[in-house]
Amino acid sequence: MQIVVTAAYAYEHEEYAELVQLLPEFELTSKLTADAPVLCVTSRDFMTAELLDSLPGVKLIATRSTGFEHIDLMAAHARGITVCNVPHYGDHTVAEFAFALMLMVQRGLRHSLKDAEEGRFPFGSQRGFDLFGQTLGIIGTGRIGRRTAQIGVGFGMTVLAHDIAPLPDEATRVGYSYVGLEELLSRANILTLHVPLTASTHHLIGAAELAKLRRGAVLINTARGGVVDTSAVLAALDSGQLSGAGLDVLEDEERITEIAPGYLARFPSLILTPHMAYHTTGGVARIRQTTADNIRAFLGGTPQNTVSLS
C-alpha cells in the first residue's frame, strides 16, 4: 500500500521521516504518483479539481492540519475521495502563542529587541499597558478559543466571547461572558480570532468591524489569514484605530517574504510571524500521530476525523 506524503519544505522532511516510523507497515513516498490511494498533505498543498483529475487512484486525502480550505471538498466528494483532518492538536499551543503576540504588542517588544540587538538600551523608551483589567474579545470558542478565555481570565482580564454555538455552562465555569458581535467589538480592547476559514468567515473582520472597536485596540490573529481583510487592518493601523496587531497568518502567505518587509517598515506596532502558532514539539507530534491514526483507520475500514461538505 503506497502513501504519498508531501514534503516540499526542509522541516517537512523531518515530518516525512517520523510518519515513516509511525506507519511502518506501509510504503511511504514523497513522489506524487497517479495511482497512489492515499495522499498526505499540508495546508500549503492545494487540492484542486484539476489536480484530483490527474490522480485517479486517490481514495483518501489526509491533511496534516485542522483547516481544510486548501482542499476542493466538492470535487473530492464527487470523485469518491474521503478527506480527513487533525481536528484537535494544539488547544493550549495556539492559545499560548496568541498571548505571546499580545504581550509583544502591548509591551513594544519589537522595538526593544531591535534596540538591544543594535547595542542600545534606552530605559523608559517603551511604555506599554497592562493586560490585567483589559477587555479581551474572543471570536470563536472552539477548543482554542476556550483555552484563550481561560488564560485571559488568569491574567485578570474581562473576557467576552462570541460564537454561533455558545457554551454558557463552560463560560460560567471559566468566568467569561457571551455577547453579540456588535457588543463585543464595541467593548474589546484586544480582539483575538479563533474561527476556521469558511465562506461565512471570510473577511469576518473588515473595515466596518474594525471601526467599531475602541480606538487604539489591538488585533490578534492566529486563525487563518482570510478571516481578516488585510488591507483594512493596515488602514486601521495607519489611522490609529488599531494601536497594534499581531498576525501569525496572512491572506497571501505565499508572498510573505515579499510583503512582510514593507508592512513592518511602515507599521512599527505590527508583529508578523510565519504561521508558527502550532509549531511546538508537542503540537507537531500530536499532528503526526493523529494523521497516522487517520490513515490507518481509513485503510482498516473505519474512517475517522472525516470532513463533510456541510
Side-chain angles (χ1 to χ4, degrees), residues 215-269:
R215 185 166 181 81
V218 169
L219 172 69
I220 303 295
N221 188 13
T222 55
R224 284 292 185 268
V227 172
V228 304
D229 181 343
T230 305
S231 61
V233 172
L234 299 179
L237 287 168
D238 206 23
S239 70
Q241 176 63 13
L242 287 177
S243 65
L247 308 177
D248 184 51
V249 286
L250 288 172
E251 291 185 274
D252 198 358
E253 290 179 7
E254 296 301 312
R255 293 182 54 240
I256 188 64
T257 55
E258 301 172 35
I259 60 181
Y263 286 175
L264 293 171
R266 184 177 171 190
F267 303 106
S269 60

Side-chain angles (χ1 to χ4, degrees), residues 111-272:
H111 298 272
S112 296
L113 292 171
K114 186 174 185 297
D115 283 339
E117 287 173 359
E118 296 176 356
R120 298 188 303 272
F121 290 86
F123 298 104
S125 64
Q126 294 298 321
R127 178 175 294 179
F129 60 89
D130 298 329
L131 289 185
F132 179 87
Q134 300 292 326
T135 298
L136 175 65
I138 301 172
I139 299 181
T141 54
R143 289 173 178 256
I144 296 172
R146 295 199 302 275
R147 181 59 178 157
T148 301
Q150 291 175 340
I151 298 173
V153 170
F155 267 97
M157 306 176 81
T158 297
V159 180
L160 305 177
H162 176 76
D163 197 290
I164 58 174
L167 299 167
D169 291 343
E170 176 71 3
T172 299
R173 184 185 71 81
V174 173
Y176 65 92
S177 303
Y178 281 101
V179 296
L181 182 59
E182 297 286 321
E183 181 178 351
L184 183 145
L185 293 171
S186 68
R187 293 176 58 187
N189 302 110
I190 301 172
L191 177 66
T192 182
L193 308 175
H194 301 286
V195 295
L197 178 59
T198 65
S200 62
T201 63
H202 180 256
H203 284 189
L204 177 67
I205 301 300
E209 290 73 28
L210 293 171
K212 294 172 184 175
L213 291 170
R214 292 181 176 183
R215 185 166 181 81
V218 169
L219 172 69
I220 303 295
N221 188 13
T222 55
R224 284 292 185 268
V227 172
V228 304
D229 181 343
T230 305
S231 61
V233 172
L234 299 179
L237 287 168
D238 206 23
S239 70
Q241 176 63 13
L242 287 177
S243 65
L247 308 177
D248 184 51
V249 286
L250 288 172
E251 291 185 274
D252 198 358
E253 290 179 7
E254 296 301 312
R255 293 182 54 240
I256 188 64
T257 55
E258 301 172 35
I259 60 181
Y263 286 175
L264 293 171
R266 184 177 171 190
F267 303 106
S269 60
L270 173 64
I271 304 291
L272 294 180

